[in-house]
Amino acid sequence: MISIDDRLSEIRWIRNEIWRCRRLLETELPGAEREVVEKRLLEQLSDFKWLLQVAFPLTLCSEVNSTKIATIGPSGSTEAPIESAAMASTDRFGMSIGS
């Protein structure tokens, strides 16, 4: 059985990976490398949401499932929805623990 401390460590690690990917996307990356980082970011966001649902099923389940991604900027931009999703995930987690 996995303890809550183990889950929290996993959540922190994935959160750090999300921020690392977001910082990389703010730099000038070649097209293929940018796509790889964007794909990795989306995978990390999915894992982050899943871990939150597993670690805190009663307090976060409905909030995490109802997260909406706002599109900011020109249509067709892939950076804005990804950034919004990362912020929504981390903001909701921060609010739930009283930060």
Side-chain angles (χ1 to χ4, degrees):
M1 182 172 192
I2 296 177
S3 72
I4 190 68
D5 290 333
D6 294 335
R7 288 284 186 213
L8 289 174
S9 292
E10 286 180 89
I11 290 168
R12 281 187 209 102
W13 185 85
I14 290 177
R15 181 200 61 203
N16 291 339
E17 286 293 304
I18 290 169
W19 284 108
R20 186 183 67 77
C21 289
R22 290 184 72 229
R23 282 191 302 271
L24 280 172
L25 289 173
E26 291 174 358
T27 64
E28 294 296 323
L29 292 173
E33 192 172 334
R34 175 172 284 284
E35 288 179 21
V36 169
V37 173
E38 287 174 351
K39 181 179 177 185
R40 176 77 175 150
L41 177 58
L42 292 174
E43 290 170 357
Q44 293 299 326
L45 288 170
S46 175
D47 291 348
F48 186 79
K49 288 178 186 179
W50 178 83
L51 277 170
L52 288 179
Q53 289 175 341
V54 170
F56 307 102
L58 298 177
T59 57
L60 292 180
C61 189
S62 63
E63 278 190 43
V64 171
N65 287 332
S66 68
T67 300
K68 293 184 179 159
I69 300 172
T71 303
I72 302 170
S75 61
S77 171
T78 58
E79 292 175 26
I82 292 170
E83 246 182 63
S84 298
M87 289 303 295
S89 295
T90 55
D91 287 349
R92 289 191 184 281
F93 180 68
M95 289 187 305
S96 70
I97 60 171
S99 297

